[in-house]
């Protein structure tokens, strides 16, 4: 697969993309404060890991379910409008919750309501945010645009949680929520400042007759499924992603926390080191497609990365040194993020503009949709034995990738 030679900075010369990039970067930084503040508030209020898990699930389930609906709405009304409404509502929600926390009125049902509401809005926002970029830049700039977006995300994920923890320790949980609310206001303003309704490859996109028709949600989702199913490379790609994400997401997330708690000294410090290793590897992986001239076709790249990740999970079952574990997790992060950039770009180029929101929602669902089940099964296995959880997940993923490699229709996705 030949890589784009467009300089990394080039998409920033496109006014609408620059506004999107600034707004979402600021908002993502604010979200890191939320990601630290909500679990910490839950633990302070309940001192229960089980409650914390159910709070996270209350956000994950509506996010996964509504992503498909969000893709339909994004295609019907435009990604920019969906992002604008979702950001405005999330900003109001965060400010309201910060007020409740500041007044010392927080009850457990407030936390559940807040988490679930955030998950609902995320279900609409995520597919819109992934489908808007092709409407702002040319096809030649997609790799650079996605690299900028994903690379900045990884950098913020590397430093943001530490800043959030420091802020909470020095100023209080309510301040973290207020700052997150302010960042939502900033990104909402940047969306307002974007010119035009929808810009496609530098020209105003006139909605096709199919998108002008009244589109109910069920029919819209069915159209998205039908479109992806009829496109054989897209169908195979999405089905393989569902399988591999199911095998990888839960064991990694549950496993990192369990490693820090049960195997390595330092507890929370050890977990921070492992998360930073993932972020550092992910940052390098995100930047790689921009600078590597030739990558394998998407099918070969997918299978290679799946094999490496399966072997990495298997190794984590036996590694007793935090330095080696960090190196392994950094490699996993590198593989995951290099494929995120290439995979998103491939879907964007593969899909007709009027279907992009729905197809991107299917792509995001391949990860977010299977996450709750993957978390639950990983939790059951880790209760039996941490080594068993890693070795079982890693072995199945490695064997699955080898079996898929025997299928020429998967290898030849291009």
């Amino acid at each position: 697969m030949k890589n784009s030679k467009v300089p990394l900075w080039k998409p920033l010369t496109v006014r609408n993309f620059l506004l999107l990039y600034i707004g979402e970067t600021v908002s993502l930084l604010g979200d890191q404060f939320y990601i630290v503040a909500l679990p910490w508030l839950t633990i302070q209020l309940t001192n229960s890991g089980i409650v914390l898990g159910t709070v996270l699930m209350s956000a994950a389930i509506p996010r996964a379910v509504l992503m498909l609906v969000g893709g339909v709405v994004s295609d019907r009304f435009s990604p920019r409008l969906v992002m604008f409404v979702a950001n405005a509502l999330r900003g109001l929600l965060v400010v309201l919750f910060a007020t409740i926390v500041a007044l010392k009125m927080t009850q457990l049902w407030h936390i559940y309501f807040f988490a679930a509401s955030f998950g609902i809005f995320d279900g609409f926002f995520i597919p819109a945010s992934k489908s808007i970029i092709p409407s702002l830049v040319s096809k030649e700039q997609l790799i650079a645009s996605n690299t900028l977006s994903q690379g900045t995300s990884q950098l913020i994920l590397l430093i943001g949680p530490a800043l959030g923890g420091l802020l909470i320790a020095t100023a209080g949980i309510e301040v973290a929520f207020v700052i997150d609310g302010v960042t939502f206001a900033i990104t909402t303003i940047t969306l307002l400042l974007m010119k035009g309704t929808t810009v496609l490859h530098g020209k105003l996109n006139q909605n096709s007759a199919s998108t002008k028709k009244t589109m109910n949600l069920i029919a819209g989702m069915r159209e998205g499924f039908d479109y992806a199913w009829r496109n054989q490379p897209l169908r195979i790609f999405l089905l393989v992603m569902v399988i591999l994400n199911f095998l990888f997401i839960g064991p990694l997330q549950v496993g990192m926390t369990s490693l820090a708690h049960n195997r390595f000294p330092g507890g929370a410090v050890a977990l921070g080191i492992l998360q930073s290793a993932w972020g550092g590897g992910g940052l390098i992986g995100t930047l790689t497609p921009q600078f590597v001239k030739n990558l394998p076709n998407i099918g070969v790249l997918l299978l290679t990365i799946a094999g490496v990740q399966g072997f990495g999970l298997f190794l984590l079952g036996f590694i007793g040194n935090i330095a080696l574990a960090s190196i392994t997790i950094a490699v996993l992060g590198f593989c995951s993020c290099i494929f995120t950039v290439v995979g998103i770009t491939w879907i964007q180029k593969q899909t007709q503009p009027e279907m992009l929101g729905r197809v991107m929602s299917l792509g995001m669902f391949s990860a977010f949709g299977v996450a709750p089940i993957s978390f639950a099964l990983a939790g059951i296995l880790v209760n039996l034995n941490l080594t068993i959880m890693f070795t079982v997940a890693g072995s199945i993923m490695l064997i699955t990738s080898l079996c898929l490699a025997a299928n020429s229709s998967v290898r030849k996705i291009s």
Side-chain angles (χ1 to χ4, degrees):
M1 187 179 80
K2 291 185 178 181
N3 195 13
S4 170
K5 295 181 180 179
V6 174
L8 191 61
W9 54 266
K10 189 68 174 177
L12 297 176
T13 63
V14 180
R15 182 180 186 275
N16 281 353
F17 179 82
L18 177 61
L19 287 168
L20 176 74
Y21 177 78
I22 292 172
E24 293 311 306
T25 298
V26 171
S27 180
L28 183 61
L29 180 59
D31 285 347
Q32 303 314 301
F33 300 156
Y34 156 79
I35 289 171
V36 176
L38 186 67
W40 187 248
L41 177 63
T42 304
I43 287 294
Q44 280 193 326
L45 191 65
T46 67
N47 196 31
S48 170
I50 295 176
V51 171
L52 175 59
T54 57
V55 167
L56 296 177
M57 287 289 291
S58 69
I61 292 175
R63 181 188 299 124
V65 172
L66 289 173
M67 234 176 248
L68 300 179
V69 178
V72 177
V73 175
S74 179
D75 283 336
R76 178 66 180 87
F77 294 104
S78 90
R80 189 182 112 181
L81 178 60
V82 174
M83 292 173 67
F84 173 81
V85 174
N87 273 333
L89 291 175
R90 288 191 297 180
L92 291 173
L93 184 67
V94 170
V95 171
L96 175 62
F97 192 69
T99 303
I100 293 174
V101 174
L103 295 175
K104 310 298 182 184
M105 297 170 58
T106 311
Q107 298 180 33
L108 185 57
W109 74 267
H110 291 142
I111 297 178
Y112 279 114
F113 176 80
F114 177 70
S117 298
F118 231 79
I120 291 171
F121 298 142
D122 282 348
F124 290 91
F125 177 84
I126 291 173
S129 67
K130 298 302 180 185
S131 63
I132 193 173
I133 291 179
S135 70
L136 305 179
V137 300
S138 66
K139 285 186 177 181
E140 292 73 21
Q141 294 178 338
L142 278 177
I143 280 282
S145 301
N146 288 320
T147 299
L148 271 173
S149 298
Q150 294 296 324
T152 303
S153 297
Q154 289 301 315
L155 181 60
I156 291 174
L157 289 173
L158 181 63
I159 64 176
L163 293 176
L166 181 62
L167 179 68
I168 291 170
T170 56
I173 293 178
E174 64 273 15
V175 176
F177 285 120
V178 168
I179 291 178
D180 192 24
V182 171
T183 63
F184 279 123
I186 293 173
T187 190
T188 301
I189 292 171
T190 60
L191 287 167
L192 274 176
L193 291 174
M194 291 167 65
K195 292 181 178 179
T197 51
T198 303
V199 180
L200 180 61
H201 303 156
K203 299 180 181 179
L204 287 179
N205 178 30
Q206 303 298 326
N207 288 333
S208 65
S210 64
T211 57
K212 288 181 179 178
K213 296 178 180 178
T214 301
M215 184 191 302
N216 65 61
L217 293 178
I218 295 177
M221 285 189 287
R222 186 169 60 246
E223 284 182 15
F225 278 114
D226 289 345
Y227 178 86
W229 191 260
R230 289 195 303 268
N231 186 319
Q232 184 184 25
L234 191 57
R235 178 179 74 239
I236 295 172
F237 178 85
L238 292 174
L239 289 174
V240 171
M241 288 303 299
V242 168
I243 296 170
L244 297 179
N245 280 324
F246 172 75
L247 294 172
F248 183 72
I249 291 175
L252 177 73
Q253 295 299 322
V254 173
M256 277 202 296
T257 304
S258 299
L259 280 173
H261 184 263
N262 298 320
R263 188 174 293 179
F264 303 136
V269 175
L271 179 58
I273 292 172
L274 296 178
Q275 289 176 332
S276 294
W278 171 269
L283 179 60
I284 298 172
T286 299
L287 297 174
T288 298
Q290 179 65 22
F291 300 106
V292 175
K293 293 183 178 180
N294 292 290
L295 289 170
N297 68 50
I298 193 74
V300 173
L301 183 65
L302 170 62
L303 294 171
T304 302
I305 285 174
V308 173
Q309 289 181 323
F311 185 62
L313 287 178
F314 182 85
L315 287 180
L316 286 174
F318 302 97
I319 293 175
N321 181 286
I322 191 170
L324 293 177
S326 296
I327 293 171
T328 304
I329 289 174
V331 172
L332 297 179
F334 171 86
C335 291
S336 180
C337 291
I338 190 175
F339 188 76
T340 296
V341 172
V342 175
I344 288 176
T345 304
W346 182 83
I347 293 175
Q348 290 168 342
K349 290 183 176 180
Q350 186 80 12
T351 307
Q352 295 176 1
E354 65 270 18
M355 299 297 298
L356 191 54
R358 279 163 283 181
V359 173
M360 286 305 303
S361 72
L362 290 173
M364 296 301 102
F365 187 80
S366 72
F368 291 98
V370 301
I373 304 174
S374 185
F375 285 142
L377 291 178
I380 293 172
L381 287 175
V382 84
N383 277 342
L384 295 176
N385 185 275
L386 179 59
T387 299
I388 289 176
M389 190 273 292
F390 274 125
T391 53
V392 168
S395 298
I396 294 176
M397 189 169 184
L398 187 56
I399 292 170
T400 301
S401 64
L402 292 174
C403 291
L404 289 171
N407 189 326
S408 62
S409 61
V410 179
R411 295 195 312 270
K412 295 180 179 179
I413 299 176
S414 180

